[in-house]
Amino acid sequence: HVLGRRLRISDTEMFMSGGAGWLLSGRACERYLENWNNCLEANKENEWLMNARDVGVTTCFISAGMEPNKSTDNLGRQRFHIYNPTRTVKGTVDGWVAEYSALIKEPIHGGRDCCSGNSITFHYMEGPEVEFVDNVVRHQNEWKNISSQQRNERWSKLKLGGYSEAPDDNDVQTWRLLLEFLQPPVHRFERKYASGSQALSKSKS
C-alpha cells in the first residue's frame, strides 16, 4: 500500500505531496527499491522529475505497479495535509494546490469538512509550532477554558513557517474546529463509543 496526499498535474500525471508525508507498507518499500535502478535509468534525462522529488518518487511507485491509494476517510475528508492546522481548517490554500486537488477530484474544503478525525500529518510547521499543537492535543481542558484571544497570543508568539499561520484574534469558529480535530485518538474513540452506547441504551428502553 502507498498512501499520501494525492494531487494531479494533468490528466496523465499525478503525484503525492512530499511535504504532507507518505505511509508505505513494507512490501511497497521492497518493490520500490527493486524498481529503483530501472526507474532512475528511464527518467535520468527528465530534469523535472529529477528536481521535483515527490513527483519523481511517485512516478517510480507507479512504474512499479503501485499507484497511490486514495487516503481520504469515508466522508471524503483528507488525512494527509499540505498546510498547518490553521490553514487546513480555514481552507486557505495556494492556487496550485486547489487546482491539482480539483483535477484528482479531491477538492479543498474548509470548516468541518477540512480534515478527517483520524488525520495523520500536517506540513509547513516549525518545531515550536509542532510542540504547541502537541500541547493542545494533550491538554484539551486547559485550552478549552481560556479565551480565543489568550490562545492566539500564545500561538502568535511562536516561530511560524513561511507558509504557516495562527488563527486570527477572537476567531472563535476556527478555534472551535481546531479543538474538535486536535484531539488524542483515544478521546475520539471514547466519544464515539459513548455516543453509540447512549443510542443503544435508548433503543432498548
Side-chain angles (χ1 to χ4, degrees):
H1 294 286
V2 179
L3 296 170
R5 179 65 171 87
R6 305 188 312 167
L7 298 164
R8 186 172 291 285
I9 302 172
S10 66
D11 290 340
T12 59
E13 191 172 14
M14 62 92 69
F15 72 102
M16 296 183 297
S17 164
W22 307 324
L23 184 61
L24 313 174
S25 67
R27 182 55 185 144
C29 290
E30 291 173 1
R31 289 177 63 185
Y32 178 79
L33 292 174
E34 290 166 0
N35 184 58
W36 170 248
N37 288 332
N38 291 336
C39 184
L40 189 63
E41 181 64 27
N43 295 290
K44 65 182 181 181
E45 303 299 329
N46 189 325
E47 187 176 344
W48 161 242
L49 290 184
M50 292 297 101
N51 291 312
R53 295 177 183 176
D54 46 7
V55 180
V57 169
T58 304
T59 298
C60 289
F61 274 120
I62 293 174
S63 70
M66 297 180 292
E67 183 163 329
N69 304 95
K70 188 172 184 178
S71 60
T72 54
D73 66 13
N74 60 354
L75 296 177
R77 301 175 302 184
Q78 294 293 340
R79 292 188 173 98
F80 296 83
H81 304 290
I82 297 173
Y83 298 95
N84 81 323
T86 301
R87 290 190 67 174
T88 301
V89 165
K90 294 172 71 173
T92 53
V93 305
D94 296 305
W96 67 269
V97 174
E99 178 185 353
Y100 293 174
S101 297
L103 283 173
I104 204 159
K105 297 183 172 24
E106 295 179 11
I108 297 293
H109 296 289
R112 183 165 275 106
D113 293 329
C114 73
C115 30
S116 172
N118 294 313
S119 288
I120 297 170
T121 60
F122 292 92
H123 183 33
Y124 290 127
M125 297 172 66
E126 300 286 349
E129 187 178 13
V130 173
E131 293 178 358
F132 178 87
V133 170
D134 181 69
N135 185 273
V136 174
V137 171
R138 293 174 185 274
H139 302 96
Q140 284 279 306
N141 289 335
E142 174 189 344
W143 287 93
K144 287 179 179 177
N145 291 328
I146 62 176
S147 68
S148 294
Q149 185 173 0
Q150 290 173 305
R151 297 171 191 147
N152 290 356
E153 286 174 356
R154 298 188 191 183
W155 201 322
S156 61
K157 290 178 181 177
L158 301 174
K159 178 184 177 182
L160 299 178
Y163 287 91
S164 190
E165 64 181 50
D168 298 326
D169 287 344
N170 300 315
D171 189 346
V172 177
Q173 172 70 1
T174 295
W175 264 108
R176 184 177 64 78
L177 290 169
L178 285 169
L179 290 172
E180 180 177 330
F181 288 117
L182 297 177
Q183 292 189 55
V186 65
H187 289 184
R188 289 194 292 266
F189 173 78
E190 288 171 351
R191 185 174 61 180
K192 180 178 179 181
Y193 181 78
S195 299
S197 298
Q198 291 171 4
L200 183 61
S201 176
K202 288 180 181 178
S203 68
K204 289 182 176 179
S205 60

